[in-house]
Each structure stands twice: as C-alpha cells, then as structure tokens.
Amino acid sequence: MQLKYLKTLLTSREFAAKVTCMAWAPNNIKFAVCTVDRVVLLYDEHGESRDKFSTKPVDAKYGKQSYVVNDMAFSPDSTKIAIGQSDNIIFVYRIGEDWGDKKVICNKFIQTSAVTCLLWPAENAIVYGLVEGKVLKVSGIIYGSLLCVSVSGKGIISGHADGTVVRYFFDDEGSGESQGKLLTHSCPPYALAWGANSIMVGGCDKKVVAYSREGHILQTFDYSRDRTEKEFTVAVASPSGESVVFGSFDRLRVFNWAPRRGMWDEAKPKEISNLYTITSLAWKKDGSRLCAGTLCGGVELFDCCLRRTIYKNKYEVTYVGLSQVIVKNLSTGTRVVLKSYYGYEIEEVKIMGKDRYLMAHTSDTLLLGDLLTNKLSEVPWTGSGGNEKFFFENETVCMIFNAGELSLVEYSSNKILGSVRTEFMNPHLISVRLNERKQKGVEDNKKLAYLIDIKTIAIVDLAGGYNLGTISHDSKIDWLELNETGCKLLFRDKKLRLHLYDIQSGVKTTLLSFCSYVQWVPGSDVVVSQNRGNLCIWYSIDSPETVTMFPVKGDIVDLKRADGKTDVIVTEGVNMVTYTLDEGLIEFGTAVDDGDYNRATAFLETLEMSPETEAMWKTLSKLALEACQLHIAERCFAALGDVSTLHFLRQTNEIVDKVSQEMGEDGTSFYQVQARVAMLDKNFKLAEMHYTEQNAIEEAIEMYQELHMWDDCIAVAEAKGYPELDTLRENRYRWLMETGQEDRAGEVRESEGDFQGAINLYLKAGLPAKAARLAMSQSEITNSSETVDRIAASLIKGEFYERAGDLYEKIRNNQRALECYCKGGAFRKAVELARITFPAEVVKLEESWGDYLVQQKQMDAAINHFIEAGCSLKAIEAAIAARQWKKAVHILELQGDSSSAKYYVKIAQHYASMQDYEMAEHLFVKGGHIKDAVEMYTAAGHWEEAHKLAVKCMTEEEVMALYISRAQELERDGKFKEAERLFATVKQPDLAITMYKKNRMFDDVIRLVAKHHPDLLTETHVHLAKELEAESRFSEAEYHFMEAEEWKAAVHMYSVNDMWEDAYRVAKSHGGADAQKQVAYLWARSLGGEAAVKLLNKFGLLEYAIKSASNKFSFDFAFDLARLACKEKIPEIHLKHALYLEDEGKFTEAEAEFIKAGKPKEAVLMYVHNQDWANAQQVAEGHDPESLSEVLVGQAKFCFKENDFKKAEAFLLQAQRPELAVKYYKDADMWSDAIRICKEYIPNKLSMLQKEYEREASKKGLRGVEGFLEQAKEWEQSGEYSRAVEYYLKVKDDSNTALMEKCWMKAAELSIKFLTADVAVEVIQVVGPRLAQLRKFNAAAELYLNMDLIKEAIDVFIEGEEWNKAKRVAKELEPRYEDYVDQKYKEHLKNQGRVESVSLIDLIFSVRLHNFCVVFCQTFQILHKYIALYATHLIKDKEAPKAVQLYIQHGVPPNPQNFNIYKRLFLDLINLPDTDGPESYRMFADLRNFFFQLCENMSKSTEANTPAHEDFEQMLLISHYYATRSAAKGVEQLISIATKLSVSLLRHTELVPADKAFYEAGLACKAIGWENMAFIFLNHFLDLCDGIDEGTLDTLDHTDFLDTDIPFEVPVPTKLCVTVAQRDQMRDWVLMVSMDHRLEQVLPRDERNTYEASLVAANTGLRSMPCVLTGYPVLRNKIEFSAAGKAANKEDWNKFLMATKTTHSPECQDVLEFIRQWCGGLPASGFSFH
C-alpha cells in the first residue's frame, strides 16, 4: 500500500498547538479533529470543513483552560461523539445525522482520574482508559491506559506505562485465544496497533516489534541507528488490518502484511519536511483515507491505495488493501466497500449485470455484491479457473454455472443457498423465488425450479433442502417461472403450449396454445399472456378455465406495474399501445394470499358478476371453508347462486351463532357445526364420528337417511342397537324400489330368504346370471319350468351361453344345453355331454374345439383336438404355430400327399436357426427348396456344403450374388479377412477395397490397390491422405501425401492446422527454395507483429515477405512488417494498396493511400478516369495544384459529351483554356456560343471565327424562314445584334402570322435595347406598318411610343379604332394631337350614323361631370368607353381604389382596349405602401373581386385562354393572396397562414415589386421565429436595395433560390419600398445573425427534398397545385374542390375554418365566400355562413 498526499485540512501553526485526537465516523461521511484549543472541527469525506463545536469543562467555574481533550470516538451509528477529557469526565455529544444539526450533550460519565484514551466498538459500550492505569467499560472495569481495537471489533488491547500489553475479548468468536496480560514490551507502548495477524508495538526505543497472537516476537524493525529517526509517537492499523502506519518526527512508516510469507514488509516511508512530530493518526473506515495530525496543529489528508482503476467511466475501483476494495459510482458518488471477511487477497473486481453487480475471486472464496442495495456476500468457492458463468437476472440471488452445476448465492448471505446439477444455463429455464410475498405460517419461503433434462422440471425447497416435485413433459420446455409465493409454476414448451403446475396438489393444467408471451403480474398471482391476436388474463389462476381475453393488433413487449396501475405494453406497427389491467381484480388475489378474506369479500361485492368474478367467488368460498370462516363462505355461495349450499351454511351459521350466544365460546368448534362442515366436504365418516362421540346416534342416522346412504345408516343402527332397526330396513327396501335399484333390492330379499322374489328382482334388474346362480342352488326353483325358461331366455339374450347350458343340463334338456355350450365356447362341457348323450357328434365337436382354440391363440392345446378330429393339415399348422417342431415333423412324415410340402420350408428354417443343419438340409431338399439350403450353409460359413448344393441348382450369377451378399454380412460382423476371401473367390477385389476403406483399414486398401489397380495407387494415396487430414491424423496423412508425391498438399494441410514447423520441414525437404520461402511467409503472416519480423529475419526473408504481402493484397501484414523493420518500404506499399483499392472501386480509401505514397497525381487521374470531378479537384487543389488544369479540362470534356455546355464552358474558363471551349462549341455546331467565347476571351481570333461560321452556313445551305430564324438566334446569342435584327426582319411567312409578329417584335426589341437610336427608329418604321397590316395595332403603337413617334402611334390606334388609347396618348404625350384625334373620331361616328349622342356625351364629360356621364351612358351602348375614361382620370389622380370600385359597380368588360387600365390598376394598388395590415383587406378584396369578374367575363368571350387571360388569372391569384393575408393578420391564430402567403408571393415577383415582397416575407418569418427563412429573404432584400441604387439587378446572387420557383429575372423597382432607416435596421439584424453563426443559410425542405414553398419538385420537375389559402404546394393531406386545379392543405384549411368559427371574423368569412364562388363550392365539412 502507498500513501499519496491529497490536501491539507488544517494548516500548521508557528508554535506548538498539538492535534490531540482525530476520529472517522463509521459511515465514512464525517471526520472529527480536536485541537489544543478544545474545539472539535467536523469535515466531510472530501476534507471540506462543514461544522464545529466547542467542548465544555466538567464545571464552568474551572474555565476553558482547565482541561485538554485526550481522545474521542464516534458512536457506531455516527450520530454521537464521545469526548474523553483530562478533567476526569467523558461527555457524549449528539451531533445528529445532518450538517448543522444542534450539538447537545446527551450523556456524561464522571471519572476518578483523567481519561487518556477512548474507544466505542461496534455493538458494545464505550471503553476508556484512565491515567491511573485502568481500562473501563461504562458497565465496569476491564484494565489499562492506551487502547486499540481488533479488526473485527470484538476485542481490545491496552498498553501501559510499564510496557505491559493486555488483551480482552467481548467475543472471541471461537478462536480460543487467551485474555489478560499478553506481552511486555521493552518500553512504554506509545504506538500500538492490532493488525489482522499480529500486534505491532513502537515506542521511544525507535523499534517497531511485531508480536504473534500469543505474544511471541515475530519481527523487529530496528531504527535506533538511524540518526534521522525519532521515537514513535502514534500508530494506526488499516480497517482490514493488512497495513499499519507508525508516526514519528517528519515521517510516516508503512508496514504491509504479506500473507503468502506470513511476514510484515516495510514500504517506502513517507517523509514530509517541517511536518514535525505526528501526534495523532486516524484511518477512514473504508480504508481509502489516512489523516495525520501534528504537534503544530496541522492535519494532512493522504490517499491510501494499492492500485486504482476506472470502469467504463462509470465506476472507480480502489484497492485499499489486499482484502478490501472500494467501488465508487462516479455519477452519484455512492460507495461500496467490498471486503473479504476471511482476509483473503481479492483478485480483480468485475462489474457485471448491466453495471449493477460486483464479482471478485479470492483464493478460497467468491465475493458478490449488489451496488444498488449495498448487499454483499462472501461464499466458499474452490478454484475453478474462472470458467464460471454468472447470471444476474434475479435481483435477490446470483446464479452461478460451473461444470454443469448451478449454485445460488443470496445477496447479504455468506452461505451458498443451494446447488443442483443441470446443463441448461438459460435464465428463462431457471426460476428462483426468495421470500418475495409473505404467506401465513411460512417464515422462510425459498423455491427453485429448473430443468433436469429438456423435458423434465424439478422443483426444490431451498430452505428445507428437499425436492418438492418433478414434472415430466412430452415436449421440449423453453420457458418456466414460479409465482412469487412459489406455489405455482408456469412453463411453456416448444409447441408454444402454456401449462400451469400446482406444486401442492401436483396437478398439471394446459392453459393456452400458441402462446407467444407470458408473465406473472408483479405482486400478485395474475397471469398475462398472448395467444396470436389475443391478450389473455387469468385474474384467478386457481380457476384456469376462467380467462379474460382482449383482441390486440401487435405483440406484447413488456408488463409494468407501478403507482397502483398495471399496464401491458403492445407494439402495433410503429406505435406503442398500453392496455391497463383491472387493478381491483389483481388486488383480490393479494388479499386472498394475505388471508384477509373480509377485505376480499368487500372487494368482490363491488364487482358485477362475470366469469372472472365467479371464479374469484369460488376461490374465496373454498378458502373460507378451509379456514372455517363460515359467514364469509355463506356470502360466497350466495353470490354464486348455489342455493342448496347457501341454505345448508345458513342453518350451520345459525347453530354457530346460537352456541356462541348461549355458551360464550367459539361456535365453530361445536360438534354439530364440525359434523356439518365435514358433510359439506363430503367426509361423512368424519361427520358420523363427531355425532357418535357425542352419542347423537339419531342425528347420525338422520344424516345418512337424508343422504340416502342406507347401508351406512343401518350399519350405525346395528352397531348402536337402534330400536327402530326393522323400520329402517323397510324404508331402505321401499326406497330401493322407488329409485329403480332392483339389483340391491334382490340382494336384500335373498338375504331374507325370499328366493323367488329375489330371482324376479334380479331378472327385472337385467342380472340373469345372479338369478341363474340362485336358481341352481335351490332345487325347488329348478322344478319350476316357467322360472327356468325365463332365466334361460334372459341368459341367452345376455349371451351368457355357458351359464344357460349349465341350467339346461341341470333340468336335463341336453340338446339345448349342447347348443348353448357350443355358442359359449364351453367345448369341454359340450364334448363331455356329447360322449354320454350324442357320441356321433364328438369328432365334429373336436374339430370345432380346435378351431376355437386357434382363434383364442391356444395352438398347443389345439393340436391334439385336430388329431382327434383327423384334420392333419390343421394339426401341422397348429404345431408349427405352437413351435412343436418334432410333433409337426412327425405328423408331416405321416402325410402322403403333395399339399403338405410347403410346411417343410418353415420347419427347415427353424432347424437352420437351431444350427441343426443336417436336419434342415434334409427338410429343404425333401420340400424341393435346395436354394434355401445353400443360403443356409452360406450364412453358416459352411462353404463346402453350400458349394456342393449350389452347383446342383444355381447359375454362376446366382452364386456370385450369394457370395457377395454373404461377404457383406461378414463385413458387418467385422470378419474382414473372411469377407476378402469371398470377394476374391468371385473375383470382386474392388468390393474388398471398398470394404477396407469404409472401415478405415488403409494399409489393406493400399495393398489391394497395388495388387489389382497399380495405375490408381497415387490417386488412392491422395484420397486417403485427405480423409486422414479431416480426422486430424496429420502424420499418417503426410505419409500418404509423400507416397503420392504431393508435398504441396502436405504443406497446405499443416498450414491450415497452424502446424507451421511441420509445414516448413516438408517444404524444405521436398519443395525447394521457393516453396520454403512461401511457407516461411505464410508462417510469419499467421504470427503477425514482432514475432513475424523475428521469424523472417531468422530466415533472411523480410523484404521478400513485404513484397509477397503487397502482391497478394495482404496490405495490413505488409504495413506491419514495414513499420517494425523496414520503414523505407512503406510508400511503396501505400502505392500498391492504392492501386488495389482503385481496382476494387474504393476510391476514397485509394485516394488516401496515393497521398500517403506521395503520388497525389495518381489519385487525381483515378478520379478523372472515374469522372468523379469534385474529388479530383479537391485532391489536385490540396496536393497537386499542377494537375488542376487537367481535371477541369477532363470535366469539361465530360460535360460536353453530356450536353451540359454551361458547366463545360465554366470549367474550361476556370482552366484558362478558352480556345478549347471555342473548339468544342464549333464541333457541337454551336457557333453562337463559340463566337461569344471568342469575342470575350480571345478577340484577336473573332474575325477568323466569323468567316469560318459564314463558310459553314453557306455549306449547309440554310434557306427560307427556318434558316433566317436559326441564323438570327445564333447572332443574337453571340451578341451580333445588328446581324440578328437583319435576319429577324427577313422572316416572312404569311401562313404563320404569330411567328412573323414574334420575329419582328424581337427585331424591334433588339434594336431598341442594343442599337443606336437612329437605327432603332429605322427598324421601328419598318416593323410598325407590318404589324398594322397584321392588325396588331397595340403592339405597333407600343413600339412607336418607345421611340417617341407619337403621331405614328396615334395613327395606328386610329387605324385600329382604339379611340380611347389614341385620345389618351394625345392628351398625355402630345396635346396638340387631341383635336386631330377628335376630328378622326367624329368622322368615324359619322360613318356609323351616331353623331348626336357622341357630341352630347363628349360635352358632359368635358365639363368633368364624370358620375353624371356614367349614369347618362347607361342608356347607351357606349357606357364602358366613358367608364374607361373616368377610370383613367382616377388613376391620374392616384385614386385607383375608386376606379376599382367603379368597375365592380358597373361590370368589368373583357375589352382588349381596357387591358392596360386593368394592369395599371393592379400595379398601382400592390405598390401602395403600408398595405400589409388587416386594415387593407377591403381594398384587396375589391381588387380580387374586380379580377374575378374580369376573368369570368373573359372566359365567356373570344379572349378566353389568350395570353392576356392567363395574365389576368395570375393577377386574380395574387390579389386573392393579398386579401387573404390581410384577413389572416387580423386573427392571432392565423399568423402562420399570413406568413405562408407572404412567402408564396415571392413566386410572383415578375408582377409584385421584388423588394417589397422579400421585405414583407422576411419580416413575417422573423416575427414568428422562422429565422432561417427570415435571414435569407432579408439578405436578398438588401441585395435588391443595392441593385435598385445601381439601376441594375444583373449582379444579384441567386444561389439561395436555386431549384425553387422564385424567379431570377424581375423588373427593377423604380424606388425602394422602405425608408433608409428601415433598410439600415434590417441590415443590422442580418449582420448580427451572420456574425453569430447560429443559423444555416438553407431554405427548409419537405418530403420531396425541395424548398417547402416551391410548387416545382427539384428532382422530378413535377408541379404541385398551390393551396388556395396559403399558396404552399398541396402534397398529401388535401382538400379538393369541384373546380379543376383548386385544392387546399387540410391542416391549413381546418385551422382557417376553426379560427373563422371561433372569432367570427367578417374578413375571414368573406374569404371563404369568395373561395366558394371561385372554387365551385366548399367541401362537405366546410364553413356555414349562417
């Protein structure tokens, strides 16, 4: 043991301030120190100061300085401290269990002199020493002055000033050691310690002396010559007694007991400078800590241990001594002290059984412990080599299997509970119950059930040590378990049948078939099991037929009972379902087991009657009767409806109550009650005894009469001389007749002498045999023919033929008698009668008798009868059947006919079996069966006789078959030489070889093969060698391999069986140098590590082995060899390993190996070859930058092959190879891209490339519209816009006006965007008239207006009769043309004949009476013209909402000339600031309704399904989203739906201002905590703000929105939707979040692995329908509407409905009304508007 300094508890002072005493509490939690200032300091187990208190003098008048504390000790329960003081007193202080408890003096003992020392041994009183030399207990004097307690605490020793050491025992524990003076030391024993095996004494002579138990000196440690050593002042022994520490000046000396040598060993002393003299030592009771107190008041804490280990970071195991170990739970801090009671050395401590149980071996014992309950055991255990198997499934007992024996150890018991022999170690096949539920009258209930064999269960009483029973079953048993009381056993067999065995009655009952789960409910005798789809419960197991069943869909996995509730856990799919049992029914069983029948009755009365309840009433009734609790039994039978028993018990209870009242004693012991209870138990003899003992004869007779037990009744009456005996007999006869018991009545009449009456009764009862017996014995009856006929007829009817024959013979009716005898098989009587009366029938009767005997299998007896009858053949058959062979031969030889020949064979076979071959041959030959005779001789081995006969009658083939079959029989008998001779005789050596081989006689096999098949000898040697190898007969196998010259096979055999020396020997002697090397390599590989290196160095084959291992892909072995002995080979091995891994397709591992080999370029080429570009680029960047260009080029080639041109181009540009990009584009005939790349990166080659392109185009001969269109597109893509415009204008195809319009518009668009203004004007002037010819007036006018060609635009509108537009253009852009337009319009009206109306309306409108104008126009067909003019006026005045209301009021016509007004209204309203709140609902609802009317009207007009119609449908959807969002924001429960709508609007940023959409979506997400999305949206909003400031969005980063349906190209808003302050606020928040790194900049994904708000799936491209409420995709749980393409997410729909119903929000109701109109009605579960 070693001491390790831990900490200083009390710092030393600069002067003498002696620590007078110290003590550890027995519970190891408290440590007390008393200093010279008389204050007791209390520390916890970690050395932290927690409390203190001052001591008191014997009398306050003497003051604090009048005494010192000399010693102190804790009480055994650690709640008190005894303080011994120099002022002649001992105080006992109660310090309590918790820190800070009040300290009070609870006892004091005044002495005659100063107290010098003090002990408080466990279970004994305080022991103390006085300065006058006495040692006292509180109860009386013992002896001396310095005290020390034994390790066991059963004895003390005291040291005295004269050197005397005295020993005293409280209990010597049978050791027989003496008490009194033990020894005399050479000086006063100031340092005294009692170890486990000796007493150690030290003092001022600087010597430490070890004394034996009888006081003899064992060892002396003399330090008197050491000048540094001072006198020894104090000593202490460890709690185990295996170590002793002595304190002196600046030094602690440690002595450890060596049990094997029986001596003390001194460890290295612990020297601490400036510690000064040690005045006190205290060892913690668990042995883990030692405290030393010094002269200067210091207290030092040391750790004591031999070694320390950590188990799974859960437990710390500290070996504080050879026989003591502390196990500490690191998480809870709890400790368990494991100690050998016998002082044996503890070997390794193991923690097992789900880290709950301890196990440790000593030389002669086994230690076990439960860490949870702190129960420890040490049992005798002889060395078993550590082969035991431990099972900890049972919490009260450990099961140990060793060498086919099961031992049980109960925790906290130091004896083996029991041992049995069993081979079945599965805990499910063993059940142990130890006092788990108390039973009345049973103190120690310990039962074990286990398997003797797989079909036999044994049940053992462990407390009594005897067998309770054995159960033999017809099938294998796979599970068993006793109930908690050990009275019943459940077991299940392999056929899934569940059985119950009652140990007391020995009755086995089958409970269930197909049982997949079974368990006793804890704390009860209730059984739960599963049968297929049923949960089965037996609430009353005493009635196994009563079972409660519930259907379940899954499998039972567990059963839990806690908090007054019992649950059965069932897995149903992925869910766990709980079924709760009826706790009341379970509680009933517990009450019954406790014997509390009143409680059980009270409980049952609360239940309705059911099969389970009925079973429990039956159980309780049985138990109540056994306990003689008759009132409870009466209540039980009342509940069961057993009226008769109830009535009987009620009468009995009335007797009980009456007796109790009259006599004042327990009425149940009254004789009538005892008799009635016995009657109830059907024990009538016992009841009779109770009556007769009290001389209550009439009551006994009455009992038997009531029960109709007349025989017993009359027997009692006869025995007791009852005077009414005759009356009883008459009553019996009457009762017998009334109840139809004529047979009993007949016996009565016969006994009375009334024979005729008896016969009549017998015949009436159907007993003619009895009647016949009586008639034949009475001659007067046989004289009555009528009676005889009646009896005979009944006998014949009952088939009593022999008795009928006797009766007929009696009356001399011989013919009838003979017939009856024959029918009844009574042939002896028939023959005897026939000899006298019918002699001619005798022969016939003899044959019939013989036949009858044969039927009865009495063959021996039948022979003579057949001979008497002259039936010889029957006689022969009977003789053969009776094995009367000689008689059969004798009869047979007397026969002359051929029909008897067949019997010769049977008889001959018998004689052959008896080895009477001569007789058998004679019979075979006489019967014509010579072959059988040959076979007989062959089987007997008489070959000469067999051959003689065979030649006479058999062919050569038959002889061969015969010899072979006989040889095979000899082989079976082990007569191989004889069999070989037979095989040789018929020239079949192969069969002999096969025989020897089958019987492992290989020398004979080789001999015969060499003789008969020399060409197969080698092959035979190899075959035999392999067989011998399989049998592990290696040396013999080697011989055959060598004979076959197959040395390689011998080497392989030895190597496979790890016999490398033999393999190397064979290779060396037969295989040459290469084989020798190869075997050495394989040998080394099998060894591995340093052993392999040593072996290869021994043979000089190290480099060869490394090379071979690499070539054979054994890289681990190659690496091991290289690392240990040849490190320069490691890179080469890495390279080979990498090449191997590459071939195996393990590219990541191959990459690592290439890099380790210093060949990163090989890794790059590998990835390039496999087109794994990402990894190739990664390796190149990290390890070989020079090859990065090759990776990019290779990747680009692959992308070009895959037609992924964009990626290919990017890779080539990254590799700085634009010329390759141009080449690949040219090769792919993508000239526009080639020109674009050339123009941007290699402009010096552009002209050459353009010329090449033109040459190619001319070669292809592109002509016509398609040619122009294709060339135009190519020029456009390459940025040659003037050429593209030229080719677009060339497109003319009258059959496809849409294509012409598109191309001309494209030409105009390109010229406006990319060409000079003059060129653009020229192009527009060409395109405009063309479009007008196609009647595309709006498009033409728009182009004119783009180039400020106002007059031309007005003319086009006029040409297309778009008068409103013409007027608006004139008025807004060039007022001087207004009159021009009016003039043209009037001319147009004149042509139409409507001049007057027009003039009047124009006049009204011109004076700004707009409303009146509208009203006026209602009477004309031109209403909507002036509504459009009024709407235009309102838009100019920024009153777009009024314009919308105007259209809603008067209708929204689908006139194409109004479409721009409608679009302008849409844009004006959605661009209004601060309109995202609930107050904006009405405005957006009007806009929504406006577009709904428009779309409805368009779908009925010619504009249906046009692009304009689609645009307005889109605007309707957006307006609906805005309106729904405003409604949802007004309801708190719908904030998430409002947020989803804001997110969905991002999909429409082509129409909705992008900055506003992202800002509102970001704010909404931020408000409800969707911070990921908020961060992404607001970050993009800030990017948009920057783009708006720059006037372009080309530089925007759209990475976050890849694979979503959020558009990238959106119009640039004219101004920001927020203030600068709002933008800065958002910028600060985004910056803060990005700095925190707490959010991942990724949009949330759904089950499609796609952004959750995207309608288009990223992987498949499938488009989902948007939810009509949120705009999110509808994936699974959906609500469908009757209108096509309209659906909603069920969860959001239900939430919206519920919120609308609960809040009655008019806005939400309006939204639902709109959805009803728009979607063709609401679903069936929809919202009601009433």
Side-chain angles (χ1 to χ4, degrees), residues 21-24 26 71-75 80-84 91 118-121 126-127:
C21 53
M22 301 185 299
W24 278 99
D71 207 353
M72 64 181 172
F74 275 93
S75 65
K80 304 182 188 72
I81 293 181
I83 305 288
F91 283 111
L118 188 67
L119 290 175
W120 199 335
I126 298 171
V127 181

Side-chain angles (χ1 to χ4, degrees), residues 434-435 437-446 463:
L434 306 183
N435 296 323
R437 262 197 3 250
K438 291 293 182 183
Q439 292 176 286
K440 281 188 176 180
V442 180
E443 291 298 324
D444 202 11
N445 184 15
K446 299 178 179 179

Side-chain angles (χ1 to χ4, degrees), residues 459-505:
I459 304 164
V460 178
D461 187 315
L462 296 171
Y466 55 86
N467 195 357
L468 290 172
T470 303
I471 308 168
S472 296
H473 194 53
D474 59 357
S475 183
K476 294 181 179 179
I477 297 163
D478 67 355
W479 180 89
L480 60 85
E481 187 171 7
L482 290 164
N483 69 339
E484 292 174 350
T485 58
C487 298
K488 298 184 186 298
L489 174 72
L490 281 175
F491 65 94
R492 189 183 71 173
D493 58 28
K494 289 286 186 181
K495 296 178 181 178
L496 300 183
R497 295 176 301 185
L498 179 64
H499 306 274
L500 173 71
Y501 181 76
D502 189 313
I503 296 171
Q504 293 176 347
S505 65

